[in-house]
Amino acid sequence: MRHLRLAGAAAAAGLAWGHFEAGWVRLETLPCPLPGLRPELDGLRIAHLSDFHLGVPSRGSVAVERAVEWVEQRQPDLTLISGDLLSRPGGEERLRALMPRLPNCFAVLGNHDYNASRDPFSQSAAVEDLGPATLLADDARTIELRGRRVQIVGVDPRSFRRRLQRPERLADPDADLRILLCHFPDIVDRIPEGVFDLVLSGHLHAGQICVPWPGGRLRLAHIRWTYIRGLYHRPAGTLHLSAGLGTTFVPFRFLARPEATELVLESA
């Protein structure tokens, strides 16, 4: 009986921690070296957010609110969001209230926005516009920053899952900085070398539920993925993979804190 009480107490403590961690957002400024970066773009600041999953009960919504507040205060040159904005239609009103607070914002959708997942609590909630933010779906925009042309290309998650995406066809060879925005990080292994300078993705939540393991952590979700979170320098470009802000399946995170990141570009 004593063992059962101890097990129950441990389980309750674990759930309490997972509930707390789901809202304990990491706000990080990260140097991001890029080969061949134009001198005028050195120090350019890009806020990268991902995986809001608004619309389901979770302390992830607290993490989203804190992240947006942080970005709003810092006023980066660009704000880029790499998908999974909504898990249910009920989160759309809150999402639309947050978007105007994010400076110079561009976004793509993810698989959860279209309910293309195994999450039983998710419902299709894809939006067609995010004004004043710009929503990209297999298209691109070019803007001027610091006197240089910066192109943002966005991948539609539906074409990605059907392997129909060809974002390299949208890339402008005359742009001074080319950024690819795609919910799925393995896009970096599908695009030709040298087409994009920076690739921003989410999707994996850094595993969301992890347990200590000899030499690191065992991720109970997405266990086979090569990329987990952070910066990866690959032939096709530099990938930044965000741990995201919200949760799926269960409203908990273990050893996989939500995060918002400000990338500071510098010449490699």
Side-chain angles (χ1 to χ4, degrees), residues 104-149:
N104 211 5
C105 184
F106 295 81
V108 294
L109 299 182
N111 57 300
H112 273 267
D113 294 299
Y114 291 100
N115 194 24
S117 78
R118 295 187 296 272
D119 185 348
F121 305 107
S122 182
Q123 295 178 353
S124 182
V127 294
E128 294 184 358
D129 73 272
L130 281 175
T134 300
L135 184 63
L136 300 174
D138 290 337
D139 60 347
R141 297 291 187 279
T142 299
I143 61 174
E144 184 176 304
L145 292 173
R146 301 185 179 185
R148 290 294 180 179
R149 299 177 73 240

Side-chain angles (χ1 to χ4, degrees), residues 242-262:
S242 173
L245 292 160
T247 60
T248 57
F249 290 91
V250 293
F252 307 116
R253 281 183 181 250
F254 291 95
L255 301 179
R257 284 177 63 185
E259 70 179 18
T261 307
E262 182 183 80

Side-chain angles (χ1 to χ4, degrees), residues 44-262:
L44 191 82
R45 296 182 298 125
I46 300 175
H48 180 199
L49 308 178
S50 192
D51 297 271
F52 291 8
H53 291 286
L54 293 173
V56 293
S58 169
R59 265 176 51 83
S61 60
V62 175
V64 171
E65 187 70 41
R66 180 69 187 95
V68 169
E69 179 184 7
W70 182 68
V71 173
E72 184 179 32
Q73 290 171 350
R74 295 191 62 81
Q75 289 294 303
D77 300 286
L78 270 177
T79 305
L80 300 178
I81 308 176
S82 52
D84 275 3
L85 306 180
L86 295 170
S87 282
R88 294 175 73 93
E92 182 176 345
E93 182 178 355
R94 188 168 192 180
L95 175 66
R96 293 195 178 279
L98 294 173
M99 287 297 101
R101 299 170 58 186
L102 296 171
N104 211 5
C105 184
F106 295 81
V108 294
L109 299 182
N111 57 300
H112 273 267
D113 294 299
Y114 291 100
N115 194 24
S117 78
R118 295 187 296 272
D119 185 348
F121 305 107
S122 182
Q123 295 178 353
S124 182
V127 294
E128 294 184 358
D129 73 272
L130 281 175
T134 300
L135 184 63
L136 300 174
D138 290 337
D139 60 347
R141 297 291 187 279
T142 299
I143 61 174
E144 184 176 304
L145 292 173
R146 301 185 179 185
R148 290 294 180 179
R149 299 177 73 240
V150 176
Q151 186 191 38
I152 303 115
V153 176
V155 174
D156 189 309
R158 296 168 295 182
S159 62
F160 178 89
R161 291 171 71 90
R162 294 194 292 265
R163 291 185 173 267
L164 299 175
Q165 86 294 336
R166 294 291 185 273
E168 62 272 16
R169 296 178 181 174
L170 298 171
D172 178 3
D174 296 324
D176 299 298
L177 176 66
R178 291 177 296 276
I179 302 172
L180 179 62
L181 198 54
C182 178
H183 184 58
F184 305 98
D186 53 337
I187 186 77
V188 77
D189 295 324
R190 301 188 188 183
I191 53 179
E193 181 176 347
V195 176
F196 294 99
D197 303 291
L198 182 62
V199 180
L200 302 184
S201 300
H203 185 53
L204 302 184
H205 301 193
Q208 187 170 316
I209 306 295
C210 304
V211 295
W213 196 255
R217 301 172 182 178
L218 178 64
R219 302 177 304 274
L220 301 186
H222 307 297
I223 194 168
R224 298 177 182 174
W225 283 72
T226 302
Y227 311 116
I228 303 303
R229 67 170 290 266
L231 285 172
Y232 298 86
H233 300 287
R234 293 293 180 263
T238 296
L239 168 69
H240 181 255
L241 173 51
S242 173
L245 292 160
T247 60
T248 57
F249 290 91
V250 293
F252 307 116
R253 281 183 181 250
F254 291 95
L255 301 179
R257 284 177 63 185
E259 70 179 18
T261 307
E262 182 183 80

